[in-house]
Amino acid sequence: MGKRGVPASRRRRGSRGARRRGSARRPLGRIVLGGAALGVLALGGGAAVAHWTGGEPAAASRPSAAAPETPGTSARRSPQAPSPQASGKASPPPSPSPSASAEKEPDPPATVPHEGPGTFTTADASGAKVGTGTLRRYRVQVEDGIGISAADAAREIEQILAHPRGWAAHGRGAFQLVSENADFVIRIATPKTADKLCLAQGLNTRGEYNCETTEGVVVNLKRWLQGSPTFSGTPAEYRHLIINHEVGHEIGIRTHMTCPGPGKPAPVMMQQIKGLRGCVSNAWPYDEDGRYITGPIVP
């Protein structure tokens, strides 16, 4: 999960299938991470927008004036989505207990490479649309030299977003894996590279957290491979939480939640890596009966 940010409205990403200036038009294959690969989203009111789910903002993000937008980056964001109703919609079919990938998950590596070259490979993969509502096309990029196949990661993320307890299954939007012309990007990066991508927008991820930026989602390789010490499931199950939490921000849920009560499932929009506060760890937005798992809003 990323780091806790100051909620703020964003400029709308645009109509269905709109291209992002930075991520949608970048050529396929390897990209090079610049010193400020992700620009800060500048709104008309002069406030910078970015989101994270743990720790504190970097000192550079504290002034009220927005940093100038980095040339070539996208400032379009998803439309603000209405808060889902706790009652939920028609119940989807029960989901499998852990996912098949979770059952076959090997032991997590004892160590994770702290840094990589800062270049990325885009998954040469595409898939069918899942879900209804606003279509958001996404592509997946993996930092080079970290031992993870971009295509395999893309397929795993595709399965997460198509899960019967996920956003797409409950009318919160439609998603489609693409290799170009994407609305947002999901990057898996070493801790140092993830920090650099997030810090470009004033987000201090401290080598531990994920973040959501104006271009999309940055996943810390450490969390992807090792999960979280506060999460009771496998790293593969924790990957569901990473994607569901950060994509929750991507579809317009700007606030965080906290535990609704001892023994209850933690909301997916809770910063579970920072402690469960009596809740049970949970990786999905909805329960098996189709009810949205919610909790008090964090101010």
Side-chain angles (χ1 to χ4, degrees), residues 225-265:
L225 292 178
Q226 295 185 336
S228 166
T230 62
F231 191 83
S232 62
T234 66
E237 290 176 293
Y238 190 73
R239 292 197 279 272
H240 282 73
L241 177 56
I242 293 172
I243 298 302
N244 286 324
H245 183 101
E246 302 301 344
V247 171
H249 292 315
E250 185 70 28
I251 65 176
I253 302 175
R254 309 315 315 156
T255 55
H256 285 128
M257 298 177 184
T258 189
C259 178
K264 295 184 178 181

Side-chain angles (χ1 to χ4, degrees), residues 33 88 100 221:
L33 172 64
L221 178 65

Side-chain angles (χ1 to χ4, degrees), residues 5-11 39-52 60-69 77 200-203 214 254:
V6 177
S9 59
R10 298 183 174 194
R11 184 175 294 177
V40 176
L41 172 62
L43 299 182
V49 174
H51 204 91
W52 63 101
S61 69
R62 298 183 187 275
S64 58
E69 182 179 339
R77 306 302 301 134
Q201 297 186 333
L203 313 181
T214 57
R254 309 315 315 156

Side-chain angles (χ1 to χ4, degrees), residues 102-188:
E103 294 174 352
K104 300 176 182 178
E105 180 78 358
D107 291 336
T111 60
V112 173
H114 181 68
E115 61 182 302
T119 59
F120 290 79
T121 294
T122 300
D124 185 12
S126 59
K129 183 184 79 170
V130 295
T132 58
T134 301
L135 175 61
R136 294 174 175 88
R137 298 181 178 90
Y138 65 94
R139 60 178 178 170
V140 174
Q141 296 179 333
V142 173
E143 188 171 4
D144 296 320
I146 63 175
I148 293 179
S149 160
D152 289 347
R155 291 305 177 194
E156 184 168 1
I157 291 169
E158 184 181 36
Q159 291 174 4
I160 291 171
L161 290 175
H163 195 282
R165 290 174 60 184
W167 301 116
H170 295 271
R172 294 306 306 276
F175 304 97
Q176 185 175 16
L177 172 65
V178 297
S179 57
E180 59 182 354
N181 299 328
D183 298 304
F184 70 100
V185 61
I186 298 174
R187 290 190 178 111
I188 301 174

Side-chain angles (χ1 to χ4, degrees), residues 277-295:
R277 301 180 182 274
C279 271
V280 177
S281 56
N282 163 61
W284 296 279
Y286 295 83
D287 67 16
E288 292 187 351
D289 295 321
R291 291 185 294 262
Y292 181 61
I293 299 172
T294 187

Side-chain angles (χ1 to χ4, degrees), residues 8-24:
S9 59
R10 298 183 174 194
R11 184 175 294 177
R12 297 180 179 268
R13 174 173 284 124
S15 60
R16 174 187 179 108
R19 294 188 176 184
R20 307 175 66 87
R21 292 199 300 274
S23 60

Side-chain angles (χ1 to χ4, degrees), residues 31-106:
I31 67 169
V32 178
L33 172 64
L38 300 181
V40 176
L41 172 62
L43 299 182
V49 174
H51 204 91
W52 63 101
T53 52
E56 297 298 330
S61 69
R62 298 183 187 275
S64 58
E69 182 179 339
T70 303
T73 59
S74 171
R76 292 186 177 180
R77 306 302 301 134
S78 304
Q80 183 77 13
S83 298
Q85 300 300 316
S87 58
K89 298 192 178 185
S91 299
S95 62
S97 297
S99 63
S101 60
E103 294 174 352
K104 300 176 182 178
E105 180 78 358

